[in-house]
Amino acid sequence: MSRKRKGSKGFSFTRLANIMVPNFFADTAPTITSALVGLRKDMCYAHQLSSPNPFALDERSFYVAGVADNEAVSRKMYKALKKHGILRADDGNGEVDTRKIGQSFIHQLASINVMRQRELINMLFWWEEETQRLKKLVAEERRAKEKLDQLKFARERIRMKKRQRPSQRRADVEADKDNLMEAFYGGGSRNAPPLAQTSSGVQDNGKPPEYYAPG
């Protein structure tokens, strides 16, 4: 028996079941989630890397991360987060903006229980940090590629200069002050004439460096 709000007594089957079988109505999801949290993060990370835009969570991300029980719920989460600006739509990328998570979050995602809401919030903060890490790595990769391209160019230039005979050498090429170097590194003299395109596709300032012997 249990007492109702108005003071009268009533029978509650749920209360009786909890007394007789304490774990019958208990939600075991937190234990399962805790055990799989590392694996779920790995799965979500792999899912994002295979996406067209790895920074933005999509409709399946929440299901892959284990926050949603199925893809239908995952789509509902995605739409709600998009609607309330937690997944930004202004930049077209749909990246996470945890600053939009406020006191009304519970009502904005009332379709899922409180436990899932906590897991969702944890996931959003986690992925925002992962996004910052990914962006940093992408920028480092781009800079490394640029340096690698410059090193490849410099190596090939040295090999060409080694093949030049004394009669073929030019002072500006020997000092690496010719327009070819300036164009590659984004420099250039104001007084230097523009590079022309030869029939062979080689950029030329009147006459290309003669790296190879004629004939």
PDB file of all heavy atoms in Angstrom, residues 5-6 30 38 46 63 65 95 99 111 123-124 131-132 137 140 161 179 183 193:
ATOM      1  N   ARG A   5      -1.243  11.575  -3.139  1.00  0.00           N
ATOM      2  CA  ARG A   5      -1.041  12.979  -2.816  1.00  0.00           C
ATOM      3  C   ARG A   5      -2.175  13.553  -1.986  1.00  0.00           C
ATOM      4  O   ARG A   5      -1.973  14.409  -1.136  1.00  0.00           O
ATOM      5  CB  ARG A   5      -0.903  13.787  -4.111  1.00  0.00           C
ATOM      6  CG  ARG A   5       0.364  13.482  -4.895  1.00  0.00           C
ATOM      7  CD  ARG A   5       0.460  14.353  -6.124  1.00  0.00           C
ATOM      8  NE  ARG A   5       1.689  14.090  -6.867  1.00  0.00           N
ATOM      9  CZ  ARG A   5       2.022  14.711  -7.990  1.00  0.00           C
ATOM     10  NH1 ARG A   5       1.196  15.635  -8.499  1.00  0.00           N
ATOM     11  NH2 ARG A   5       3.146  14.417  -8.599  1.00  0.00           N
ATOM     12  N   LYS A   6      -3.403  13.080  -2.232  1.00  0.00           N
ATOM     13  CA  LYS A   6      -4.556  13.609  -1.507  1.00  0.00           C
ATOM     14  C   LYS A   6      -4.698  13.011  -0.115  1.00  0.00           C
ATOM     15  O   LYS A   6      -5.576  13.394   0.641  1.00  0.00           O
ATOM     16  CB  LYS A   6      -5.832  13.349  -2.308  1.00  0.00           C
ATOM     17  CG  LYS A   6      -5.872  14.102  -3.634  1.00  0.00           C
ATOM     18  CD  LYS A   6      -7.172  13.844  -4.364  1.00  0.00           C
ATOM     19  CE  LYS A   6      -7.229  14.601  -5.680  1.00  0.00           C
ATOM     20  NZ  LYS A   6      -8.512  14.360  -6.405  1.00  0.00           N
ATOM     21  N   PRO A  30      23.518   1.994 -17.118  1.00  0.00           N
ATOM     22  CA  PRO A  30      24.735   2.680 -16.665  1.00  0.00           C
ATOM     23  C   PRO A  30      25.926   1.754 -16.535  1.00  0.00           C
ATOM     24  O   PRO A  30      27.041   2.106 -16.895  1.00  0.00           O
ATOM     25  CB  PRO A  30      24.318   3.260 -15.304  1.00  0.00           C
ATOM     26  CG  PRO A  30      22.835   3.402 -15.395  1.00  0.00           C
ATOM     27  CD  PRO A  30      22.380   2.235 -16.234  1.00  0.00           C
ATOM     28  N   GLY A  38      34.910   3.096 -23.328  1.00  0.00           N
ATOM     29  CA  GLY A  38      36.121   3.195 -24.142  1.00  0.00           C
ATOM     30  C   GLY A  38      35.903   2.691 -25.548  1.00  0.00           C
ATOM     31  O   GLY A  38      36.307   3.326 -26.525  1.00  0.00           O
ATOM     32  N   ALA A  46      36.078   6.409 -34.997  1.00  0.00           N
ATOM     33  CA  ALA A  46      36.274   5.789 -36.310  1.00  0.00           C
ATOM     34  C   ALA A  46      35.149   6.182 -37.263  1.00  0.00           C
ATOM     35  O   ALA A  46      35.381   6.417 -38.456  1.00  0.00           O
ATOM     36  CB  ALA A  46      36.343   4.272 -36.161  1.00  0.00           C
ATOM     37  N   TYR A  63      23.994   6.955 -32.059  1.00  0.00           N
ATOM     38  CA  TYR A  63      23.756   5.510 -31.988  1.00  0.00           C
ATOM     39  C   TYR A  63      25.078   4.755 -31.917  1.00  0.00           C
ATOM     40  O   TYR A  63      25.235   3.817 -31.130  1.00  0.00           O
ATOM     41  CB  TYR A  63      22.946   5.060 -33.200  1.00  0.00           C
ATOM     42  CG  TYR A  63      22.785   3.568 -33.318  1.00  0.00           C
ATOM     43  CD1 TYR A  63      22.085   2.846 -32.355  1.00  0.00           C
ATOM     44  CD2 TYR A  63      23.344   2.873 -34.389  1.00  0.00           C
ATOM     45  CE1 TYR A  63      21.946   1.468 -32.458  1.00  0.00           C
ATOM     46  CE2 TYR A  63      23.207   1.502 -34.500  1.00  0.00           C
ATOM     47  CZ  TYR A  63      22.511   0.802 -33.532  1.00  0.00           C
ATOM     48  OH  TYR A  63      22.379  -0.561 -33.631  1.00  0.00           O
ATOM     49  N   ALA A  65      27.854   5.879 -30.754  1.00  0.00           N
ATOM     50  CA  ALA A  65      28.477   6.162 -29.458  1.00  0.00           C
ATOM     51  C   ALA A  65      27.768   5.477 -28.300  1.00  0.00           C
ATOM     52  O   ALA A  65      28.253   5.520 -27.169  1.00  0.00           O
ATOM     53  CB  ALA A  65      28.513   7.665 -29.216  1.00  0.00           C
ATOM     54  N   GLU A  95      29.087  21.632 -36.228  1.00  0.00           N
ATOM     55  CA  GLU A  95      29.978  21.274 -35.131  1.00  0.00           C
ATOM     56  C   GLU A  95      29.316  21.550 -33.784  1.00  0.00           C
ATOM     57  O   GLU A  95      28.373  22.329 -33.682  1.00  0.00           O
ATOM     58  CB  GLU A  95      31.289  22.057 -35.249  1.00  0.00           C
ATOM     59  CG  GLU A  95      32.072  21.730 -36.506  1.00  0.00           C
ATOM     60  CD  GLU A  95      33.350  22.534 -36.615  1.00  0.00           C
ATOM     61  OE1 GLU A  95      33.766  23.122 -35.595  1.00  0.00           O
ATOM     62  OE2 GLU A  95      33.928  22.586 -37.711  1.00  0.00           O
ATOM     63  N   ARG A  99      28.327  25.734 -25.493  1.00  0.00           N
ATOM     64  CA  ARG A  99      27.853  26.947 -24.823  1.00  0.00           C
ATOM     65  C   ARG A  99      26.337  27.068 -24.888  1.00  0.00           C
ATOM     66  O   ARG A  99      25.732  27.784 -24.087  1.00  0.00           O
ATOM     67  CB  ARG A  99      28.501  28.181 -25.456  1.00  0.00           C
ATOM     68  CG  ARG A  99      30.011  28.269 -25.269  1.00  0.00           C
ATOM     69  CD  ARG A  99      30.587  29.419 -26.059  1.00  0.00           C
ATOM     70  NE  ARG A  99      30.348  29.242 -27.493  1.00  0.00           N
ATOM     71  CZ  ARG A  99      30.726  30.115 -28.421  1.00  0.00           C
ATOM     72  NH1 ARG A  99      31.350  31.229 -28.060  1.00  0.00           N
ATOM     73  NH2 ARG A  99      30.480  29.890 -29.698  1.00  0.00           N
ATOM     74  N   SER A 111      12.349  13.774 -24.837  1.00  0.00           N
ATOM     75  CA  SER A 111      11.989  12.453 -25.362  1.00  0.00           C
ATOM     76  C   SER A 111      12.910  11.351 -24.854  1.00  0.00           C
ATOM     77  O   SER A 111      12.597  10.167 -25.006  1.00  0.00           O
ATOM     78  CB  SER A 111      12.018  12.475 -26.895  1.00  0.00           C
ATOM     79  OG  SER A 111      13.310  12.837 -27.365  1.00  0.00           O
ATOM     80  N   MET A 123      29.002  13.153 -23.984  1.00  0.00           N
ATOM     81  CA  MET A 123      29.475  12.901 -25.343  1.00  0.00           C
ATOM     82  C   MET A 123      29.737  14.204 -26.083  1.00  0.00           C
ATOM     83  O   MET A 123      30.746  14.337 -26.790  1.00  0.00           O
ATOM     84  CB  MET A 123      28.444  12.077 -26.114  1.00  0.00           C
ATOM     85  CG  MET A 123      28.808  11.855 -27.573  1.00  0.00           C
ATOM     86  SD  MET A 123      27.434  11.227 -28.540  1.00  0.00           S
ATOM     87  CE  MET A 123      28.160  11.268 -30.188  1.00  0.00           C
ATOM     88  N   LEU A 124      28.855  15.175 -25.935  1.00  0.00           N
ATOM     89  CA  LEU A 124      29.006  16.448 -26.639  1.00  0.00           C
ATOM     90  C   LEU A 124      30.270  17.186 -26.195  1.00  0.00           C
ATOM     91  O   LEU A 124      31.019  17.718 -27.026  1.00  0.00           O
ATOM     92  CB  LEU A 124      27.770  17.322 -26.414  1.00  0.00           C
ATOM     93  CG  LEU A 124      26.470  16.814 -27.044  1.00  0.00           C
ATOM     94  CD1 LEU A 124      25.291  17.654 -26.587  1.00  0.00           C
ATOM     95  CD2 LEU A 124      26.565  16.816 -28.567  1.00  0.00           C
ATOM     96  N   THR A 131      37.251  17.478 -31.481  1.00  0.00           N
ATOM     97  CA  THR A 131      37.249  18.337 -32.670  1.00  0.00           C
ATOM     98  C   THR A 131      38.419  19.304 -32.638  1.00  0.00           C
ATOM     99  O   THR A 131      39.098  19.514 -33.654  1.00  0.00           O
ATOM    100  CB  THR A 131      35.922  19.120 -32.757  1.00  0.00           C
ATOM    101  OG1 THR A 131      34.831  18.191 -32.844  1.00  0.00           O
ATOM    102  CG2 THR A 131      35.897  20.019 -33.979  1.00  0.00           C
ATOM    103  N   GLN A 132      38.675  19.896 -31.476  1.00  0.00           N
ATOM    104  CA  GLN A 132      39.808  20.814 -31.346  1.00  0.00           C
ATOM    105  C   GLN A 132      41.122  20.088 -31.607  1.00  0.00           C
ATOM    106  O   GLN A 132      42.028  20.627 -32.264  1.00  0.00           O
ATOM    107  CB  GLN A 132      39.803  21.445 -29.958  1.00  0.00           C
ATOM    108  CG  GLN A 132      38.594  22.339 -29.701  1.00  0.00           C
ATOM    109  CD  GLN A 132      38.514  22.815 -28.268  1.00  0.00           C
ATOM    110  OE1 GLN A 132      39.363  22.487 -27.436  1.00  0.00           O
ATOM    111  NE2 GLN A 132      37.487  23.588 -27.952  1.00  0.00           N
ATOM    112  N   LEU A 137      45.641  18.789 -35.503  1.00  0.00           N
ATOM    113  CA  LEU A 137      46.406  17.799 -36.256  1.00  0.00           C
ATOM    114  C   LEU A 137      46.303  18.041 -37.758  1.00  0.00           C
ATOM    115  O   LEU A 137      47.283  17.866 -38.491  1.00  0.00           O
ATOM    116  CB  LEU A 137      45.905  16.389 -35.914  1.00  0.00           C
ATOM    117  CG  LEU A 137      46.193  15.908 -34.494  1.00  0.00           C
ATOM    118  CD1 LEU A 137      45.556  14.546 -34.259  1.00  0.00           C
ATOM    119  CD2 LEU A 137      47.694  15.836 -34.239  1.00  0.00           C
ATOM    120  N   GLU A 140      48.630  20.852 -38.570  1.00  0.00           N
ATOM    121  CA  GLU A 140      50.018  20.393 -38.523  1.00  0.00           C
ATOM    122  C   GLU A 140      50.354  19.550 -39.747  1.00  0.00           C
ATOM    123  O   GLU A 140      51.457  19.650 -40.303  1.00  0.00           O
ATOM    124  CB  GLU A 140      50.254  19.585 -37.247  1.00  0.00           C
ATOM    125  CG  GLU A 140      50.239  20.421 -35.976  1.00  0.00           C
ATOM    126  CD  GLU A 140      50.424  19.569 -34.734  1.00  0.00           C
ATOM    127  OE1 GLU A 140      50.479  18.322 -34.865  1.00  0.00           O
ATOM    128  OE2 GLU A 140      50.510  20.134 -33.628  1.00  0.00           O
ATOM    129  N   LYS A 161      71.370  21.096 -60.493  1.00  0.00           N
ATOM    130  CA  LYS A 161      72.556  21.961 -60.496  1.00  0.00           C
ATOM    131  C   LYS A 161      73.839  21.130 -60.539  1.00  0.00           C
ATOM    132  O   LYS A 161      74.847  21.554 -61.128  1.00  0.00           O
ATOM    133  CB  LYS A 161      72.539  22.863 -59.261  1.00  0.00           C
ATOM    134  CG  LYS A 161      71.475  23.956 -59.331  1.00  0.00           C
ATOM    135  CD  LYS A 161      71.309  24.673 -58.009  1.00  0.00           C
ATOM    136  CE  LYS A 161      72.513  25.505 -57.672  1.00  0.00           C
ATOM    137  NZ  LYS A 161      72.292  26.301 -56.434  1.00  0.00           N
ATOM    138  N   ASN A 179      64.022  33.621 -60.474  1.00  0.00           N
ATOM    139  CA  ASN A 179      62.583  33.757 -60.245  1.00  0.00           C
ATOM    140  C   ASN A 179      61.891  32.432 -59.969  1.00  0.00           C
ATOM    141  O   ASN A 179      60.797  32.400 -59.417  1.00  0.00           O
ATOM    142  CB  ASN A 179      61.918  34.429 -61.451  1.00  0.00           C
ATOM    143  CG  ASN A 179      62.154  35.922 -61.461  1.00  0.00           C
ATOM    144  OD1 ASN A 179      62.692  36.464 -60.497  1.00  0.00           O
ATOM    145  ND2 ASN A 179      61.778  36.578 -62.540  1.00  0.00           N
ATOM    146  N   ALA A 183      59.187  32.279 -57.065  1.00  0.00           N
ATOM    147  CA  ALA A 183      57.804  31.898 -57.351  1.00  0.00           C
ATOM    148  C   ALA A 183      57.370  30.732 -56.474  1.00  0.00           C
ATOM    149  O   ALA A 183      56.243  30.689 -55.981  1.00  0.00           O
ATOM    150  CB  ALA A 183      57.658  31.526 -58.826  1.00  0.00           C
ATOM    151  N   PRO A 193      60.802  40.731 -64.073  1.00  0.00           N
ATOM    152  CA  PRO A 193      59.714  40.548 -65.043  1.00  0.00           C
ATOM    153  C   PRO A 193      58.912  39.313 -64.704  1.00  0.00           C
ATOM    154  O   PRO A 193      59.408  38.388 -64.069  1.00  0.00           O
ATOM    155  CB  PRO A 193      60.464  40.385 -66.370  1.00  0.00           C
ATOM    156  CG  PRO A 193      61.824  39.906 -65.985  1.00  0.00           C
ATOM    157  CD  PRO A 193      62.131  40.534 -64.670  1.00  0.00           C
TER     158      PRO A 193
END
